[in-house]
Amino acid sequence: MKIVIIGGSGHIGTFLVPRLVRAGHEVINISRGTHKPYTDAVEWQQVRQVVADRQQEDREGTFGDLVARLGADVVVDLVCFTLESAAALVDRLRGETGHLLHCGSIWRYGASLKVPISEDSGSAAAPFGEYGVQKDRIARMLKEETTSGGLDTTSVHPGHIVGPGWHPIGPLGNLDPTVWHALSAGEALHVPGSGSESMHHVHADDVAQAFQRAIEHRDAAAGEDFNVVAPTALTVRGYAEIAAGWFGQAAALEAVTWAQFRASTTPEHAESSWGHLHRSHCFSIEKAKSLLGYAPRYEPEAAVLESVRWLVENGQLTVARGLEV
């Protein structure tokens, strides 16, 4: 099949594009051309590159035409963030492309009501924040598009994506690198909330696997949405204790109020922590397993460790002592 990947040079595309090439597909990557994949793979030599600025093309109303002209059997959209953009692409590809897959987010769900959260189960509150609200609206629009007899669509909703080359969401639900230094040094880590809040990570290659399986099982995937995460989720306390152990340390956790936590860090880190911990997400992957054969290779701590190891070895994360695992 001819497969167009929109935004294929990012986290997911780094693994998805080589997977699809190895499977014998013709792959075209649309990107701004300013970013290389996070890991090298010989398969990229067989990929056609199309340079385009999605946001600019959307403003000019030309992006759908650009994609349609490529004559793809399948389009995988990894960088769509608004309902308006998604709907414009659907309108242009209807009747011309066989299958459109969209990368959503678990933030299409609000705070957990009961866990694990499964698709369409009412086990999470309504989404909040512009990003989550838009991702939910897109997923609902895509499902309605297929149900009403239009374009075959599928939305895949990854957890907190982890992999070599970028910082993972850490034990406090943010990207603060000093958290890792504190854990590696055995220093006190100030934890807002109860410490039992959960986060659900997923390795980027497992997300790529889910997209590949959805492409290869189009009949099962059409009109569906899938939560794609690791087999288990990490609590704040468990995550910190596991991570400290990588450095031969025991986690020293001190409970603080949210007001105290906000006063001790930047507004950006505090807001990120609140967003992750307030949601306290833990998901079921039974739907993806049963319909697509999704079989994640990585437990969440293994995925995070791979990321942390890469950051330390490449001088992008300062720690007090080296990894012992």
Side-chain angles (χ1 to χ4, degrees):
M1 289 186 290
K2 180 187 285 189
I3 302 175
V4 168
I5 311 293
I6 303 171
S9 302
H11 296 158
I12 300 167
T14 290
F15 295 92
L16 177 59
V17 169
R19 274 178 167 271
L20 296 176
V21 172
R22 289 194 297 270
H25 301 294
E26 177 186 352
V27 179
I28 301 171
N29 176 40
I30 300 177
S31 71
R32 290 178 298 175
T34 59
H35 183 76
K36 294 182 178 180
Y38 286 92
T39 60
D40 293 327
V42 296
E43 289 84 1
W44 283 94
Q45 298 173 15
Q46 302 178 49
V47 176
R48 176 184 170 189
Q49 301 288 343
V50 174
V51 177
D53 186 324
R54 169 71 173 274
Q55 292 184 339
Q56 181 64 30
E57 296 268 358
D58 271 343
R59 285 193 293 269
E60 296 173 357
T62 58
F63 187 70
D65 290 334
L66 182 152
V67 177
R69 285 196 299 269
L70 296 173
D73 302 299
V74 176
V75 174
V76 180
D77 192 351
L78 300 178
V79 289
C80 182
F81 305 106
T82 68
L83 178 60
E84 180 182 16
S85 178
L89 186 61
V90 166
D91 287 343
R92 184 62 183 85
L93 297 183
R94 189 183 296 119
E96 295 196 34
T97 298
H99 192 188
L100 172 66
L101 297 95
H102 168 78
C103 183
S105 168
I106 57 170
W107 278 26
R108 72 169 297 197
Y109 302 97
S112 298
L113 299 178
K114 56 182 180 179
V115 294
I117 299 168
S118 56
E119 300 86 347
D120 305 318
S121 67
S123 48
F128 60 89
E130 186 65 14
Y131 177 77
V133 168
Q134 289 291 331
K135 286 296 188 182
D136 184 58
R137 288 175 176 171
I138 293 169
R140 293 176 183 276
M141 179 274 293
L142 293 175
K143 183 180 285 287
E144 174 60 26
E145 167 70 18
T146 304
T147 301
S148 63
L151 181 65
D152 276 354
T153 68
T154 302
S155 58
V156 172
H157 299 278
H160 312 311
I161 301 175
V162 183
W166 65 92
H167 285 259
I169 293 296
L172 297 185
N174 61 33
L175 296 174
D176 185 355
T178 66
V179 170
W180 296 102
H181 189 277
L183 289 169
S184 69
E187 297 172 352
L189 196 64
H190 293 163
V191 177
S194 67
S196 62
E197 297 87 352
S198 60
M199 292 167 279
H200 217 148
H201 294 72
V202 63
H203 194 286
D205 187 50
D206 282 334
V207 181
Q209 176 204 148
F211 273 103
Q212 181 180 358
R213 290 182 181 274
I215 291 168
E216 295 172 346
H217 297 83
R218 174 177 162 184
D219 288 345
E224 301 292 349
D225 50 358
F226 298 95
N227 299 331
V228 173
V229 290
T232 57
L234 293 166
T235 65
V236 171
R237 185 181 300 107
Y239 189 175
E241 291 178 352
I242 290 169
W246 298 338
F247 302 96
Q249 301 282 14
L253 307 180
E254 293 185 4
V256 297
T257 66
W258 274 103
Q260 292 170 322
F261 181 73
R262 290 181 182 277
S264 68
T265 188
T266 67
E268 179 183 12
H269 291 326
E271 188 62 24
S272 178
S273 293
W274 186 85
H276 286 88
L277 305 190
H278 175 71
R279 287 176 173 88
S280 193
H281 281 161
C282 175
F283 291 88
S284 167
I285 55 174
E286 288 306 310
K287 183 178 179 180
K289 289 170 65 177
S290 63
L291 294 186
L292 305 180
Y294 174 59
R297 294 174 54 229
Y298 288 83
E299 284 288 338
E301 63 269 30
V304 174
L305 175 58
E306 183 178 294
S307 179
V308 170
R309 190 187 307 281
W310 188 96
L311 292 169
V312 171
E313 291 178 349
N314 286 272
Q316 296 190 28
L317 182 64
T318 301
V319 291
R321 58 189 296 178
L323 290 162
E324 297 186 3
V325 292

